[in-house]
Amino acid sequence: MLKKYLLTFLVAMVPIVELRGAIPIGVAWGLPVVPCYIIAVLGNMVPVPFIYFFARKLLVWGSDKKLTGRFFRFCLEKGERGGEKLKEKAGRGLFVALMLFVAIPLPGTGAWTGTLAASILDIGFKKSVAAVMLGVLIAGVIMGVGSSGVLALVSR
């Protein structure tokens, strides 16, 4: 049982998959939904400070390297363009926009991408973590409800 919780925690740390994959996997392994939710949220939030403080620096560093330059520049440019668009549309509601972006339970809209966008937009660390955490909690509830079979019961 402990092994399943550990694997759920680790899956939640993986980019793109994150808690959106960890919760359904944990529930499929027979773990109760609430403990699975808590473990997945914790696992999903562990990389956030590292992403915030180091991902942009890594992308800038690697943008002039032969092997990584093209991809890293693409990531930086895409992040900056997307961040500026989000900033223009959201205006003063940037916190809510970031939270809702992370809350959408689709691949590529999770804590990894949201935190990277927050660091590119120079949103403060505490504000970024709070918005990402709220988004992760909401996405976790959505995935927990879906994974527990509640949607199947309601749709009958």
Side-chain angles (χ1 to χ4, degrees):
M1 184 70 88
L2 184 59
K3 181 180 175 183
K4 291 177 182 177
Y5 281 115
L6 180 60
L7 288 171
T8 301
F9 181 84
L10 293 173
V11 167
M13 292 175 66
V14 175
I16 300 174
V17 178
E18 301 185 36
L19 121 158
R20 291 137 176 79
I23 291 175
I25 289 170
V27 170
W29 285 336
L31 299 177
V33 175
V34 173
C36 185
Y37 169 83
I38 293 167
I39 294 295
V41 167
L42 292 173
N44 203 178
M45 291 303 295
V46 165
V48 166
F50 301 101
I51 297 164
Y52 185 85
F53 289 116
F54 302 115
R56 184 175 186 184
K57 291 176 184 175
L58 178 68
L59 291 172
V60 169
W61 172 82
S63 65
D64 64 350
K65 305 297 183 257
K66 186 177 181 179
L67 290 174
T68 59
R70 189 173 173 187
F71 176 70
F72 282 26
R73 277 191 305 277
F74 168 78
C75 290
L76 276 172
E77 290 167 8
K78 186 167 176 64
E80 287 171 358
R81 279 194 314 267
E84 289 307 315
K85 278 185 183 177
L86 181 64
K87 209 176 209 179
E88 286 173 18
K89 288 181 181 177
R92 296 182 66 189
L94 197 54
F95 178 89
V96 173
L98 180 60
M99 178 194 68
L100 292 174
F101 175 79
V102 174
I104 299 167
L106 296 171
T109 63
W112 280 76
T113 308
T115 305
L116 181 58
S119 74
I120 288 173
L121 291 171
D122 291 322
I123 300 173
F125 176 70
K126 289 180 182 178
K127 194 173 184 179
S128 298
V129 170
V132 169
M133 178 65 145
L134 287 171
V136 165
L137 290 170
I138 294 167
V141 168
I142 293 167
M143 294 309 299
V145 167
S147 298
S148 67
V150 173
L151 293 178
L153 291 174
V154 173
S155 65
R156 288 185 184 184

